[in-house]
Amino acid sequence: MGVSIFDRLYKDNLDSKNILTHYQLSTQLNGRIYDPGYYFNKENTNRDNALDLLLLTQGWRRYVWNESNLKEESIFFKTLLTDNITGNLRLENQNKKAPDLTPKIVMIFTADPLKGQDIFTTDSTGMFNVNSGHFKMSERAYMYLKPMTPEKPKYVINIRDDAFQTINFNRKDRTENYPLLKLQKEQVNHPEKTFTQLYDVQKLNAVVIATKKEKVFRDKYLGTLDSLAKLNTGNSDFVCLAGGSGRPILNCFMNNHHQGKTRSPVEGEKVTVLLGKNREVLGADYPHQDYFGTREIVYKDPNQNLTEEELLKRFNLKMIKGFYGKREFYQAVYDQVNINDPFPDFRNTLFWKPDVITNEQGEAIIEFYCSDINTIFMGTIEGVSETGLLGTENFKFKVRNSKI
């Protein structure tokens, strides 16, 4: 059962939707139904006749719901989302011929080693699924996927995670059956305020706000990868001074320019790169005849100040989100420490729990503390039995401060 207890001030009389109206009426008819709760309110003596008229307007003549009807209806419903994410392990350079690598293995893990890891194989085409068990392993955290393949030829992982795109695309064809209030915008004419200029004020042309805070990653594991990248001493970049002009050339392949006299480039300095015929940047191992022109760039150390995407690419990883753990609704707890807290409790919602489970007799006990608001509180209970029967009930009670 789902139970909610709230201030009657927030009871919307125009919103008569509940679990009965949703599953037994709104989802079975086309279009938006005005006041669907009317047909389920026992105080309305003519609700049965009104319901017949409503069904007749959409061509209903006889409503029989059995197992055969369910099987026929299931044909027209297509599952939009699943609890799996599909991935593909393939060669980075798709023009190369893939070696006979069977099986292809992928490792999935989180930044917390205590949450474990898993290794699974792909099918013959490199396809694999990240299932719900993997997501539970990474509650409120990120997961990382790494191909367990040889370094050459390099394999990379592609992930298809388009759940939100699927939802937004299919929303276009769905009818909203939730009663939406038509808010009227009140037009108020405000007098125009004129700015009064003060002569004894010093004006600033511009204000620049800067921070010295270090780069913060979404996950601590990325910070670890960033530290490992900075410790990498495999940077072979160098610059030379071309022809005594004082212009540093990055990774110059023309030995007559520097004659072996080089230095390491400095992060952020302007350097000249040599371009090939297709405007690609040439390195020290390119032949001289491919030289076409130059271009000036700002040097960036390949192991410093990497973005999250660059870090993941450097270590050949894919990052996906895990399950977001359920959050429990806040409930005040008054014990001997805070029972005499002078600060008033102005909670408008006293209790909200969508997963109350009954015992074998169908009974459940809930406990909650009232707030300091003297008002009438409304309660709503909606539930479903083990056989699929639906039910709803409302109640109310008044809270009164005994000290007044």
Side-chain angles (χ1 to χ4, degrees):
M1 298 186 298
V3 182
S4 59
I5 303 173
F6 53 92
D7 189 344
R8 69 170 180 178
L9 178 66
Y10 295 93
K11 173 63 177 177
D12 187 359
N13 295 324
L14 298 179
D15 181 7
S16 62
K17 185 178 180 182
N18 55 42
I19 192 173
L20 297 178
T21 64
H22 177 76
Y23 287 106
Q24 297 182 358
L25 189 62
S26 299
T27 56
Q28 306 301 317
L29 300 180
N30 296 324
R32 182 179 299 171
I33 302 175
Y34 175 78
D35 193 10
Y38 178 88
Y39 307 97
F40 295 86
N41 189 349
K42 297 180 181 180
E43 296 180 358
N44 301 322
T45 57
N46 65 333
R47 62 191 181 97
D48 291 337
N49 293 331
L51 182 58
D52 287 339
L53 293 175
L54 174 65
L55 295 175
L56 285 171
T57 60
Q58 297 206 14
W60 290 89
R61 295 296 182 270
R62 187 166 178 264
Y63 193 90
V64 179
W65 199 255
N66 52 35
E67 188 173 353
S68 299
N69 297 135
L70 289 174
K71 291 181 179 179
E72 293 178 2
E73 286 291 325
S74 63
I75 302 176
F76 301 100
F77 290 96
K78 180 181 178 181
T79 302
L80 298 180
L81 302 176
T82 66
D83 54 2
N84 296 339
I85 289 183
T86 303
N88 176 254
L89 181 62
R90 61 170 180 81
L91 282 175
E92 183 180 36
N93 187 354
Q94 300 188 33
N95 294 327
K96 290 186 177 181
K97 184 179 180 181
D100 186 12
L101 187 62
T102 306
K104 301 184 183 71
I105 301 177
V106 176
M107 181 174 67
I108 183 170
F109 60 95
T110 66
D112 187 356
L114 298 179
K115 291 187 178 180
Q117 62 183 24
D118 189 22
I119 296 178
F120 50 85
T121 59
T122 70
D123 61 14
S124 58
T125 62
M127 301 297 296
F128 62 88
N129 285 324
V130 180
N131 57 44
S132 59
H134 298 136
F135 285 109
K136 292 179 180 178
M137 181 179 67
S138 59
E139 183 177 339
R140 298 186 183 181
Y142 288 94
M143 292 185 299
Y144 297 91
L145 298 169
K146 184 175 181 61
M148 306 300 292
T149 55
E151 294 185 4
K152 292 184 179 181
K154 184 179 180 180
Y155 278 83
V156 294
I157 294 175
N158 286 340
I159 288 291
R160 183 180 179 182
D161 185 9
D162 55 356
F164 287 102
Q165 291 87 338
T166 302
I167 293 174
N168 293 330
F169 177 79
N170 286 273
R171 282 183 60 187
K172 301 176 182 178
D173 301 328
R174 299 300 175 95
T175 302
E176 294 181 354
N177 52 38
Y178 196 89
L180 301 176
L181 297 178
K182 296 182 179 179
L183 300 179
Q184 296 181 355
K185 295 183 178 180
E186 183 180 359
Q187 295 182 356
V188 180
N189 295 325
H190 296 283
E192 296 184 359
K193 296 181 179 181
T194 57
F195 178 74
T196 303
Q197 183 176 359
L198 301 178
Y199 296 97
D200 297 333
V201 175
Q202 295 181 355
K203 298 181 180 179
L204 299 177
N205 294 328
V207 176
V208 179
I209 300 176
T211 178
K212 295 182 179 180
K213 189 175 182 180
E214 296 181 358
K215 184 190 298 184
V216 178
F217 295 100
R218 285 178 290 176
D219 191 79
K220 291 183 178 180
Y221 183 67
L222 290 175
T224 304
L225 297 181
D226 184 61
S227 300
L228 292 175
K230 291 180 179 179
L231 291 176
N232 185 3
T233 58
N235 185 5
S236 60
D237 290 339
F238 66 92
V239 294
C240 72
L241 299 180
S245 63
R247 181 179 58 180
I249 295 182
L250 181 65
N251 298 330
C252 177
F253 54 76
M254 294 182 281
N255 295 327
N256 59 326
H257 278 173
H258 52 78
Q259 297 179 354
K261 296 179 181 180
T262 61
R263 64 171 175 83
S264 300
V266 179
E267 178 79 13
E269 74 169 324
K270 291 184 178 180
V271 297
T272 299
V273 294
L274 304 178
L275 303 178
K277 294 181 180 180
N278 296 323
R279 296 293 178 179
E280 75 275 16
V281 177
L282 303 180
D285 55 349
Y286 280 84
H288 182 275
Q289 58 267 23
D290 288 340
Y291 171 68
F292 181 78
T294 62
R295 185 177 66 195
E296 191 178 66
I297 65 171
V298 177
Y299 179 75
K300 179 182 178 182
D301 191 329
N303 296 325
Q304 303 294 324
N305 299 322
L306 298 176
T307 63
E308 293 185 354
E309 290 72 17
E310 291 172 339
L311 278 173
L312 294 172
K313 186 176 181 180
R314 173 69 60 86
F315 292 91
N316 198 14
L317 295 172
K318 279 290 182 180
M319 183 174 69
I320 56 178
K321 294 181 180 179
F323 278 161
Y324 189 86
K326 66 177 182 180
R327 301 179 63 181
E328 295 184 1
F329 183 77
Y330 168 77
Q331 296 188 51
V333 177
Y334 292 102
D335 50 21
Q336 295 180 356
V337 177
N338 54 19
I339 188 65
N340 296 319
D341 187 357
F343 191 79
D345 182 357
F346 290 147
R347 287 177 298 122
N348 295 102
T349 302
L350 304 182
F351 187 84
W352 184 83
K353 189 173 178 58
D355 53 353
V356 176
I357 307 298
T358 67
N359 56 20
E360 295 180 354
Q361 287 74 36
E363 300 173 342
I365 299 176
I366 61 173
E367 296 180 351
F368 58 92
Y369 287 93
C370 295
S371 64
D372 293 329
I373 302 177
N374 298 321
T375 186
I376 296 177
F377 283 88
M378 311 289 296
T380 301
I381 303 175
E382 294 182 334
V384 57
S385 70
E386 60 181 1
T387 59
L389 296 178
L390 305 175
T392 181
E393 188 61 70
N394 299 316
F395 64 91
K396 61 182 179 179
F397 60 91
K398 186 175 182 179
V399 174
R400 182 170 53 190
N401 194 333
S402 60
K403 296 180 180 180
I404 299 178

